[in-house]
Amino acid sequence: MTVLISICIPTYNGEKVLPETLDSILGQILDGMEVILCDDGSSDRTLEIAQRYEASHHQVKVFQNPCNLGMDRNFAQSVQHSTGKYVWFSGQDDIFEPGAVAKVFQVLNQRPDLGMIYLNYRFLSGDLSRTVAPPLLDMSADQVFHGAAEYFKAIDHAPSFLPATVMRRNFWDKVPIDQFFGTHYVQVAVWLYNARDSEIYVIASPDFISCRMPEESWKFTGGKMLFEIFTGKFFVYKTIHLLGDDYVPARISNWFENDYFHRYFRKLVVLKSMGLEVTSEHRRRVRAVAHGPFHFYCCLLPALLVPNWLASAIMRVHSWIRRRDPGATQPLVY
């Protein structure tokens, strides 16, 4: 059977949420699909659950990495195991609402030369009971864009949420992805690298995909994940922009740059107070986006060197001032 779509689910310690995700997909699966689960050394029952679904559904294929590869490498590994013309990622806790698969099949069958699909989506609470944020896209109807230049005139970002993106599998073979490992946005790098010459279909309705936003997220552990995400996204946009404005327009790249440097010191203080331990890889990533050695050593590196105890003291003082006079300072959001 020719596989049109491979739904790739990189998993790691997701036993509590994975069954709901798989049920949401398998309840609407069609011929021409496969579901790839690539486990990154889970210490809970994730692999056992995945294998149970594999035993009862012939479309499900389960793989286990020989060691923990990390998020980006596991994304790439799941693609390597796939055989479909298109790859459609999913997090292990995301929900494919009824009609999602049929909608994507309809679009691909109508446009066989399509490069990418971007699905709008909903932000729901961890228990899926309520909406916690509006959809990123405010569109009344589906739209088709011919290349990155046309797309970025209407939309100011590439899709980063995993189930929001369907793209050709061979796009991954065209990108030197190793340089984006550790950013947590390797899939965005692949999207940006290939969007220049692709037809991009944007599905306006947010009702096909639900993004679960747990109140106590794994992303907040020790500040490490948040710091890597904060730095990684800008690194991806800047690196692809350096290939030319026809990949990422200067307007888009400059916005990410301004936002990054505007929030940099505040972000570091917050994350240091959460226990962030800066590594040599973190320093390398920050240096890669600096405006030369002077900017790095005199402006960016000092924030990396702030002791965690001092960051915690700054946060306590800031909180005290905010309690006494809420209008005196801006919140140190991250």
Side-chain angles (χ1 to χ4, degrees):
M1 179 185 68
T2 300
V3 177
L4 179 63
I5 298 176
S6 298
I7 296 183
C8 294
I9 309 176
T11 61
Y12 181 71
N13 289 349
E15 65 175 8
K16 295 181 180 179
V17 291
L18 181 59
E20 195 168 8
T21 296
L22 287 174
D23 288 342
S24 76
I25 296 170
L26 294 171
Q28 54 183 309
I29 199 164
L30 300 175
D31 290 339
M33 290 180 63
E34 65 180 4
V35 179
I36 304 294
L37 292 113
C38 192
D39 188 68
D40 204 24
S42 294
S43 57
D44 64 3
R45 295 175 53 251
T46 298
L47 181 61
E48 176 188 337
I49 292 169
Q51 290 172 335
R52 190 170 70 239
Y53 276 86
E54 181 182 36
S56 58
H57 296 82
H58 72 274
Q59 303 98 330
V60 176
K61 302 174 184 178
V62 177
F63 301 88
Q64 184 181 26
N65 297 332
C67 61
N68 183 273
L69 299 179
M71 185 180 293
D72 290 311
R73 286 180 173 84
N74 199 24
F75 291 174
Q77 192 72 7
S78 67
V79 173
Q80 289 301 311
H81 291 305
S82 68
T83 63
K85 180 179 178 181
Y86 291 89
V87 169
W88 188 356
F89 275 114
S90 173
Q92 62 189 6
D93 61 346
D94 300 316
I95 302 297
F96 286 55
E97 301 292 353
V101 170
K103 173 66 175 181
V104 169
F105 261 76
Q106 177 189 29
V107 171
L108 293 179
N109 286 329
Q110 290 175 348
R111 295 179 174 273
D113 296 326
L114 198 65
M116 306 164 173
I117 298 175
Y118 178 1
L119 292 94
N120 203 4
Y121 54 96
R122 304 182 299 165
F123 292 96
L124 300 183
S125 58
D127 61 3
L128 305 177
S129 65
R130 67 187 189 281
T131 299
V132 296
L136 287 185
L137 299 177
D138 183 14
M139 299 171 57
S140 58
D142 295 358
Q143 290 185 246
V144 180
F145 302 97
H146 302 280
E150 187 174 309
Y151 171 90
F152 280 118
K153 288 179 180 178
I155 299 173
D156 63 2
H157 63 278
S160 58
F161 177 51
L162 291 183
T165 309
V166 181
M167 71 173 83
R168 286 180 176 267
R169 184 192 182 280
N170 65 2
F171 284 175
W172 285 75
D173 300 328
K174 302 176 182 181
V175 184
I177 58 175
D178 288 15
Q179 64 182 309
F180 301 108
F181 289 159
T183 64
H184 304 287
Y185 288 99
V186 65
Q187 80 282 5
V188 176
V190 175
W191 194 98
L192 291 170
Y193 194 94
N194 289 279
R196 180 184 66 163
D197 302 316
S198 296
E199 187 176 68
I200 305 162
Y201 191 102
V202 179
I203 296 176
S205 172
D207 296 334
F208 293 117
I209 299 292
S210 293
C211 171
R212 189 194 302 261
M213 301 287 287
E215 285 74 13
E216 295 184 7
S217 174
W218 48 268
K219 296 178 183 178
F220 293 84
T221 305
K224 179 178 181 291
M225 182 69 72
L226 283 172
F227 178 73
E228 292 172 351
I229 288 172
F230 172 61
T231 301
K233 178 178 281 191
F234 175 39
F235 175 81
V236 166
Y237 274 87
K238 180 172 182 177
T239 301
I240 302 297
H241 169 68
L242 291 176
L243 298 174
D245 273 9
D246 50 343
Y247 286 88
V248 176
R251 174 180 59 86
I252 302 297
S253 179
N254 290 342
W255 184 92
F256 276 97
E257 180 171 326
N258 292 336
D259 179 69
Y260 177 82
F261 290 126
H262 177 71
R263 295 192 293 144
Y264 178 80
F265 182 77
R266 288 182 296 161
K267 175 81 76 171
L268 261 294
V269 169
V270 172
L271 297 183
K272 284 270 190 166
S273 72
M274 296 168 63
L276 174 66
E277 297 294 337
V278 175
T279 67
S280 58
E281 174 59 24
H282 292 155
R283 294 191 188 191
R284 187 188 72 81
R285 190 72 71 190
V286 170
R287 185 169 185 175
V289 298
H291 297 306
F294 179 84
H295 186 220
F296 173 69
Y297 286 109
C298 296
C299 300
L300 303 182
L301 182 60
L304 291 175
L305 299 178
V306 170
N308 288 14
W309 65 265
L310 179 56
S312 297
I314 293 172
M315 290 298 295
R316 287 195 296 270
V317 170
H318 182 270
S319 296
W320 179 79
I321 294 173
R322 290 279 297 172
R323 286 195 300 270
R324 288 179 60 89
D325 184 0
T329 63
Q330 293 295 317
L332 280 174
V333 294
Y334 46 77

